[in-house]
Amino acid sequence: MQVAELTDTIAERGHHSAITPKGAIDLDTIELRKFVIEKKPFEESKKGFWNWINSWKEDDPEDYFELFGNEDISSIELTNERIALVINYRFDTPIEFIQTTLNVIYKEDLIAQYHYMQDFNGEVMDDVLSFEKYSILTRKD
């Protein structure tokens, strides 16, 4: 699809911040934006990340130190990547949730993404840390 075929800018659409291809279904993001304002999922996911890391270090120190060694990870930077409304069809009954994704930056390198899943009331359902295959921590020099 060519850029010329894309229509509807932020100014024309008001609450939308994405460019939508002609003929696309117009999905309303207002409720998701309200969730971001009210439940602060990026802030909550950052707390969840540090809880995840500290629990990992305490519960499975050998595995933790295999990856991080004695590195000072307090300099890890967490940047907002995305927030999404997800309908997961993997199960017999689909599961709907909000997923917040953070980029995990260490020594200016993307080492992982942290996914934080919440129900529509803002309660945490699950979280997972996915390491990048070719990050400075996982590649073998």
Side-chain angles (χ1 to χ4, degrees), residues 45-132:
S45 63
K46 288 174 183 174
K47 291 177 199 172
F49 169 82
W50 287 110
N51 184 52
W52 198 99
I53 287 291
N54 292 328
S55 293
W56 181 25
K57 187 175 183 179
E58 186 176 307
D59 297 342
D60 195 354
E62 290 177 16
D63 187 47
Y64 172 88
F65 284 106
E66 182 179 326
L67 188 64
F68 287 110
N70 289 320
E71 293 282 335
D72 177 15
I73 63 164
S74 65
S75 65
I76 282 179
E77 180 185 356
L78 301 172
T79 61
N80 300 350
E81 174 65 19
R82 78 180 65 87
I83 187 159
L85 173 60
V86 177
I87 304 173
N88 187 335
Y89 287 98
R90 181 179 297 173
F91 308 99
D92 290 337
T93 303
I95 299 172
E96 300 178 348
F97 56 91
I98 306 293
Q99 179 173 308
T100 305
T101 301
L102 301 173
N103 289 324
V104 181
I105 312 290
Y106 181 65
K107 296 184 178 180
E108 300 180 10
D109 191 32
L110 176 66
I111 62 168
Q113 286 193 320
Y114 177 70
H115 307 283
Y116 188 77
M117 288 139 283
Q118 295 171 279
D119 66 19
F120 298 149
N121 293 316
E123 297 298 318
V124 66
M125 295 171 59
D126 201 0
D127 61 345
V128 65
L129 185 61
S130 301
F131 284 93
E132 295 295 310

Side-chain angles (χ1 to χ4, degrees), residues 1-34:
M1 177 173 292
Q2 303 235 350
V3 174
E5 294 177 84
L6 298 175
T7 60
D8 298 335
T9 63
I10 295 170
E12 294 169 328
R13 311 249 339 238
H15 63 274
H16 293 281
S17 63
I19 297 173
T20 305
K22 273 188 179 177
I25 296 171
D26 188 20
L27 296 177
D28 194 342
T29 59
I30 292 173
E31 290 303 316
L32 185 56
R33 291 174 184 275
K34 283 183 189 176

